[in-house]
Amino acid sequence: RENDFGSRNIHNKLAKIGINISQGTIAGWIYRNKEPFIIKILKQIKNGSEELTPEKAYIIGTLCGDGYTTTKYRIGLGVCDQEFTNYFQHCIEKAYGVTYSINKIKPQKSNFSNNPKSQYIILFGSKLIFQDLQRYCTSFKSYEWKVPTQIKNAPKEIQASFIKGFADSEGCVRFRNGSGEIAIYSHNKNGLEDIQRLLKNTFEIRVSLNQKKACYYLDIIDYISLKKFYDEIGFVIKRKQETLKQVLSSYKRKGLRRYSKEFKLLAMQLLKQGINH
C-alpha cells in the first residue's frame, strides 16, 4: 500500500511471472488482513496437543460422522445446527490452541426443498492438526473409519465424548405413541459394532444392531439405557437432547420402574388368579 501496489497491480505483476492468484484473494490479504492459505496450513499448534482429551475425542467422533477431511490437509464440518458447529470450533481451539471462523450460508429454495435451512460451515487447512488426527484414524470415509484403539483403551469420559460427536452427526431421537428410542446410523457395520461394544461394556447400555437395506443402525429403546445415555453421554445438539428429555419424562409419568424378579413373579401369579392389572 505504501508503494501504491493495489490488488490489480499485484495480480498483473504476478501473472507476468506465471503465478495466477485472483485479484479478490490478493484484496483479502491487503484490505481484510486474511492470511495466504499456505500460512494457515503451517500455523503452529499449542504444546501438548498430542494428548487425547475429551475435546479431541469429540472431533474424532464428528469426523467419523458428518465431519470430513479432504486434500491439502483440509478439515471441515457443515451442518444446520449452529450449536453443533460452535462446539466443534470450541473443541478445535481447546485441543490445538488455534481458532478458525465459521461461515453461515443463507438457504436457497430449490426443487428439493421449499423451506431450506441455513448451513453453518467451518473449513480450514492445517497440516499439523491433520497429521495428528491421522494418528488415531487413517481414514474418516464412511466405509473406512474405525473406532481408534486409543479411544477403546481410554477412560469413560473420553469414550463418552467420542460417542457424543458421532451421535450428534448420525444419531436421532424418535418419540411417538408414548415411547421413544435413540437410533444411530452408518453404512459402516464394523464401526457401529465397535461403538456397540463401548456402549455395552463401558456404560452398560442395552443396544441392538439392526439393518435397513444397505444401512445399519444401533437402537436403544429401554428406559434405563436411554437414561444412562442422557446422563453420561448426551447430545450437543439442543433439539436432540430436548427430545430425549421429553422421552424420559413420558416414561416417568407412566410410572415405569425397575422391579425385582420376585415382584414380577408375584404379579404373574396374581394375574393367573384372575386379578386385573
Side-chain angles (χ1 to χ4, degrees):
R1 281 179 287 186
E2 292 174 358
N3 294 284
D4 196 28
F5 271 61
S7 57
R8 181 181 298 177
N9 198 343
I10 294 174
H11 167 76
N12 293 336
K13 287 186 176 295
L14 290 174
K16 289 180 180 179
I17 59 173
I19 300 175
N20 296 310
I21 300 175
S22 72
Q23 187 177 333
T25 298
I26 297 169
W29 299 346
I30 299 173
Y31 305 115
R32 296 189 294 277
N33 296 320
K34 290 189 174 182
E35 297 174 345
F37 186 70
I38 189 64
I39 294 176
K40 291 185 178 181
I41 288 178
L42 298 176
K43 186 181 289 186
Q44 292 299 310
I45 56 180
K46 71 175 185 179
N47 294 331
S49 59
E50 67 280 356
E51 179 185 352
L52 179 57
T53 61
E55 291 79 15
K56 187 186 289 188
Y58 186 88
I59 295 167
I60 296 169
T62 302
L63 291 175
C64 292
D66 282 342
Y68 55 90
T69 59
T70 65
T71 56
K72 296 183 179 180
Y73 309 110
R74 294 188 183 188
I75 301 161
L77 174 68
V79 290
C80 297
D81 297 278
Q82 186 176 5
E83 66 271 20
F84 187 10
T85 318
N86 287 347
Y87 190 70
F88 186 79
Q89 179 195 47
H90 162 77
C91 289
I92 292 291
E93 182 176 359
K94 192 79 173 176
Y96 296 105
V98 290
T99 303
Y100 297 98
S101 59
I102 295 173
N103 296 314
K104 180 181 178 181
I105 298 180
K106 294 182 179 180
Q108 293 182 350
K109 289 185 178 180
S110 67
N111 295 331
F112 302 100
S113 177
N114 292 323
N115 188 28
K117 297 180 179 179
S118 297
Q119 281 264 320
Y120 298 90
I121 297 174
I122 178 169
L123 176 62
F124 61 92
S126 172
K127 184 176 182 179
L128 297 176
I129 296 177
F130 188 94
Q131 290 177 335
D132 180 69
L133 291 171
Q134 281 207 316
R135 294 192 298 114
Y136 301 92
C137 193
T138 56
S139 174
F140 291 101
K141 293 181 179 179
S142 296
Y143 290 93
E144 297 176 4
W145 64 266
K146 298 177 181 178
V147 177
T149 303
Q150 298 94 321
I151 297 288
K152 294 177 182 177
N153 297 330
K156 192 174 187 177
E157 181 187 15
I158 300 289
Q159 293 184 3
S161 193
F162 171 85
I163 296 171
K164 186 197 295 265
F166 189 76
D168 275 328
S169 300
E170 306 292 359
C172 68
V173 184
R174 297 193 185 96
F175 182 33
R176 29 179 122 123
N177 300 325
S179 62
E181 68 172 331
I182 295 173
I184 304 174
Y185 292 85
S186 179
H187 292 289
N188 188 331
K189 183 181 180 182
N190 292 333
L192 282 184
E193 287 176 338
D194 284 343
I195 293 177
Q196 182 184 29
R197 282 188 282 270
L198 292 181
L199 289 169
K200 284 184 175 181
N201 299 335
T202 304
F203 301 92
E204 297 181 347
I205 290 176
R206 294 173 60 187
V207 54
S208 60
L209 177 62
N210 305 292
Q211 183 176 5
K212 188 175 183 180
K213 296 183 179 179
C215 189
Y216 300 90
Y217 65 97
L218 298 176
D219 208 20
I220 305 171
I221 57 174
D222 68 281
Y223 172 79
I224 294 172
S225 295
L226 290 169
K227 185 70 165 60
K228 285 184 177 180
F229 192 98
Y230 180 87
D231 291 338
E232 300 184 33
I233 300 173
F235 296 94
V236 166
I237 296 176
K238 295 176 183 176
R239 58 184 173 83
K240 295 183 180 181
Q241 187 76 344
E242 283 300 314
T243 304
L244 181 53
K245 185 177 181 180
Q246 292 174 19
V247 169
L248 295 172
S249 297
S250 74
Y251 278 101
K252 289 178 183 178
R253 286 197 297 273
K254 290 182 178 180
L256 297 181
R257 294 178 177 84
R258 190 172 192 173
Y259 295 109
S260 67
K261 183 178 179 181
E262 291 75 19
F263 184 94
K264 293 176 182 177
L265 290 172
L266 176 59
M268 293 302 295
Q269 291 172 7
L270 293 173
L271 284 170
K272 287 179 182 178
Q273 294 173 18
I275 298 175
N276 63 28
H277 286 78

